[in-house]
Amino acid sequence: MNPSVPSYGRVIGIGSYLPEHIMTNDDLAKIVETNDEWITERTGIKERRISDPEKDTSESMAIEAAKRAVKDAGIDPKEIGLVVVASTTPNVLFPVLSASVQAAVDADNAMCFDVNAACPGFVTAFVTAQNYLKSGAVDTALVVGAENLTNYVNFEDRSTCILFGDGAGACVLKADPKLQYDAIMRAAGKRGECLRCESYMQKGREKTDDFLKSNYINMDGQTVFKFAVTEVPKVIEDLLARTCTTADDIDYFILHQANRRIIESVAKRLKQPIDKFPMNIEKTGNTSSASIPILLDELKKEGILGQGNKKIVISSFGAGLLWGAVQTEI
Ligand code: UT7
């Protein structure tokens, strides 16, 4: 039943899934010319999880994370009115991943759609779901971020293969009239060339070496880095101004786990201590749209979040260029 006053949704359940196989920096140093010291210093990453081709797909990882989130929420899945899955690396174009998740968790009363917004996919899906909740169309939503990014990593390109990992995370949102929530999402498609991956399935395109390389993640790392350290603090500051809060009022800033130095730079710009910026990048690498819900799940398991009394800002950025920030309580 819809609440009498349509409201934004509180996170009432979180779950995540990480593949078992760990690839360390030393493992990578056997494949490309790199070393643990360089990767650690430049990115903060020590290891990442790599999907098992025998059993892990974006679909299977999304399903596992979603099942764990629904279990954590302790709800009847029939209450879920909306399932949104963010993925930029779906193993099937259709049926869409959200329909597979809907079937697997028995969310038989839910509508479904997928969101492809690259790394900020989870934040985009979260904000979209929140607007469905606020409109009164649904009362409970399941939002998932799932990525099998290493399928698109060129393990001959040391500037990208060190960064990415696989995994999935999910949240259940339930309308709560008392919840504080606001969000700002931005895009700059005119600046999108610096991060690109082309589809293999394009009729009329000859499978030349250049074309085959374009089917992997291609990135101008420095340009993406500069974009992130400039725009992420700006969108957070704009959001805080709009909600009449200051950075000091926020307990935790949950940022996309792309590079430790980007997170440190944002903390400095916002004049906040780094311990307000929890990180797991050391162990997961950049899992794109899965990074934020995986981190939220870890923080809930550690008892840091999940009691409903912490003010947080979530912010992500990536290909598009797309970026945004959410302010809420958890
Ligand atoms: O989800 C959003 C997606 N992407 C990002 O957030 C990425 C943002 N960018 C970054 O994180 C950083 O730009 C990188 C980690 C990708 C690269 O770090 P950087 O400090 O910008 O390095 P750079 O590209 O300026 O390269 C510096 C040097 C170069 O050598 P020379 O030309 O100075 O001799 C590179 O060839 O480091 C070299 N290099 C490496 N050396 C060892 C590049 N990759 C590696 C490597 N190991 N893996």
Side-chain angles (χ1 to χ4, degrees):
M1 202 177 73
N2 286 350
S4 49
V5 183
S7 316
Y8 290 116
R10 186 178 289 280
V11 175
I12 58 160
I14 316 180
S16 67
Y17 173 85
L18 287 169
E20 272 164 45
H21 180 61
I22 295 171
M23 184 181 266
T24 65
N25 291 347
D26 288 339
D27 293 333
L28 276 166
K30 289 176 198 146
I31 305 171
V32 285
E33 202 182 323
T34 190
N35 56 72
D36 176 50
E37 196 189 343
W38 192 96
I39 303 172
T40 307
E41 195 193 303
R42 297 294 204 170
T43 71
I45 301 167
K46 292 296 251 182
E47 59 188 47
R48 69 287 290 143
R49 298 298 181 101
I50 308 289
S51 59
D52 177 347
E54 298 291 318
K55 73 174 176 103
D56 296 317
T57 61
S58 291
E59 193 176 17
S60 72
M61 293 190 285
I63 286 172
E64 197 48 50
K67 281 184 174 171
R68 292 174 188 181
V70 172
K71 188 170 179 217
D72 185 49
I75 55 161
D76 176 351
K78 308 275 186 294
E79 288 171 37
I80 300 169
L82 169 67
V83 179
V84 192
V85 176
S87 183
T88 211
T89 55
N91 49 304
V92 276
L93 291 183
F94 47 83
V96 292
L97 298 184
S98 48
S100 305
V101 168
Q102 184 220 24
V105 304
D106 296 318
D108 298 333
N109 297 318
M111 65 174 128
C112 299
F113 56 86
D114 287 11
V115 161
N116 177 354
C119 296
F122 178 79
V123 175
T124 306
F126 188 92
V127 169
T128 306
Q130 290 288 12
N131 289 328
Y132 270 82
L133 288 158
K134 180 67 177 170
S135 76
V138 302
D139 176 55
T140 306
L142 172 61
V143 183
V144 186
E147 300 288 2
N148 204 344
L149 224 59
T150 58
N151 277 339
Y152 296 88
V153 162
N154 179 355
F155 280 96
E156 289 178 3
D157 175 6
R158 67 177 181 172
S159 69
T160 53
C161 73
I162 55 155
L163 295 173
F164 298 102
D166 303 319
C171 288
V172 176
L173 303 177
K174 178 139 187 87
D176 179 348
K178 295 195 201 93
L179 183 77
Q180 298 287 317
Y181 167 89
D182 202 354
I184 297 178
M185 301 301 291
R186 289 182 175 153
K190 287 178 181 159
R191 291 157 63 194
E193 274 303 308
C194 57
L195 188 43
R196 188 174 173 87
C197 180
E198 281 207 32
S199 168
Y200 179 80
M201 301 296 280
Q202 297 187 57
K203 68 177 158 24
R205 291 292 295 270
E206 234 184 287
K207 305 291 184 257
T208 60
D209 285 352
D210 276 354
F211 179 66
L212 294 175
K213 273 190 194 144
S214 79
N215 303 144
Y216 290 114
I217 296 166
N218 286 275
M219 182 175 71
D220 170 354
Q222 281 194 12
T223 301
V224 178
F225 191 98
K226 281 180 203 148
F227 144 66
V229 299
T230 310
E231 299 295 353
V232 171
K234 217 186 274 176
V235 74
I236 293 175
E237 279 169 349
D238 290 350
L239 182 61
L240 292 173
R242 201 162 82 176
T243 58
C244 300
T245 20
T246 68
D248 293 343
D249 300 325
I250 302 299
D251 294 301
Y252 293 105
F253 296 85
I254 314 294
L255 265 49
H256 171 42
Q257 303 289 294
N259 185 317
R260 169 177 268 277
R261 287 187 297 138
I262 292 174
I263 297 171
E264 286 169 348
S265 168
V266 175
K268 208 167 155 196
R269 264 281 303 274
L270 296 174
K271 299 190 178 65
Q272 294 297 302
I274 195 68
D275 56 10
K276 283 172 79 169
F277 292 72
M279 287 184 237
N280 62 359
I281 189 167
E282 192 178 326
K283 294 205 171 293
T284 60
N286 178 347
T287 56
S288 187
S289 71
S291 82
I292 285 176
I294 291 171
L295 180 56
L296 288 175
D297 190 33
E298 274 186 37
L299 295 170
K300 184 169 184 190
K301 288 197 174 100
E302 287 167 21
I304 295 168
L305 297 181
Q307 318 300 316
N309 58 353
K310 294 285 189 293
K311 288 186 169 49
I312 64 164
V313 165
I314 294 171
S315 182
S316 188
F317 60 91
L321 297 169
L322 311 177
W323 68 104
V326 167
Q327 186 181 334
T328 192
E329 299 159 328
I330 179 166

